Amino acid sequence: MIRVFSTPQSAARALANRLARMLRADPSLVLGLPTGRTPIPLYQHLVELHRGGRADFSRATTFNLDEFIGIDAADPRSYRAFMQRHLFDHINISPRRINFLNGTASDLDRECARYERAIERAGGIDLLILGLGTNGHIGFNEPGRALVAGTHRTRLSAATRRANADLFGHRASRVPAGALSMGMATILHARRIVLLATGAAKAQCVARMVNGMLTPRVPASFLQLHRDVDVWLDRGAASRIEE
Ligand code: GLP
């Protein structure tokens, strides 16, 4: 289902409220979470809801989508540190129920296999929130000739390194060339998915994702295969969708 909100803020607020409701119904919810600029207002609203006593994360479990290779969790440029800054440091989640890919693991393939097992042991992901790369990537599943099913190592495209330059002193050349990411099957196995995209820069990609054919050139197009996926947009991101 596609929902269009008037502003990025109203989309974020509605999603935070939905998440808080789900947490009240099932306190041990397993969440999949993204990084990026898009979810920042969502995390702000969740922190507000938590402070107001309306979102209790004490029994929740989280799995983040991806992490850079070679960047330690304690490094402020890591996605883990991003999540601490924007969400985890401000809510009552138990640190042992925060799951993250370790981009500095000595054996990265084993690390990916460990993550898949951890998701399975947690009973799978109940709600996976996704952002959208302007090139159609989800997590770090980059456009290409083929897609990978499970959690895997991947090389980042020049466009994605540019999009992530903020964390690296605005220098794309400093963004790691590789990352670990949940794969397309890991994503599609989540019980429910909400993809959040805001801003006119995402409009073309959103249209290809919802109106286009399934193609590894637009990894997000594979979300059309999922039974329970919501695409939440602001007017800018929705502006090129064909009804
Ligand atoms: C990054 C992340 C994605 C995220 C995307 C969009 O590369 N790996 O998970 O969805 O960028 O980011 P933004 O929300 O900043 O546009």
Side-chain angles (χ1 to χ4, degrees), residues 34-39 65-66 79 130-134 137-140 160 163-164 202:
T35 51
R37 280 168 292 264
T38 313
L65 276 159
D66 44 18
Y79 275 172
L130 294 174
L132 178 66
T134 38
H137 75 227
I138 44 179
F140 271 136
T160 296
N164 279 274
K202 301 277 169 78

Side-chain angles (χ1 to χ4, degrees), residues 10 46-47 56 76 86 119 146 164 187 205-206 214 226 238:
S10 50
L46 282 176
V47 170
D56 175 13
H86 290 286
I119 293 172
N164 279 274
I187 289 173
C205 184
V206 166
L214 302 194
H226 199 276

Side-chain angles (χ1 to χ4, degrees), residues 213-231:
M213 294 204 278
L214 302 194
T215 166
R217 302 278 169 206
V218 184
S221 65
F222 280 78
L223 294 175
Q224 293 176 36
L225 294 172
H226 199 276
R227 280 178 199 277
D228 194 345
V229 56
D230 288 334
V231 177

Side-chain angles (χ1 to χ4, degrees), residues 66-85 88-89 98-105 111 114:
D66 44 18
E67 181 60 283
F68 296 111
I69 291 176
I71 304 287
D72 190 74
D75 186 316
R77 301 167 302 177
S78 69
Y79 275 172
R80 173 63 197 251
F82 172 99
M83 289 304 298
Q84 291 296 143
R85 272 196 304 278
F88 299 151
D89 283 347
I98 295 173
N99 293 276
F100 237 94
L101 282 155
N102 173 8
T104 58
E111 172 60 8
R114 176 197 69 80

Side-chain angles (χ1 to χ4, degrees), residues 59 103 148 168:
R59 287 169 58 197
V148 182
F168 294 85

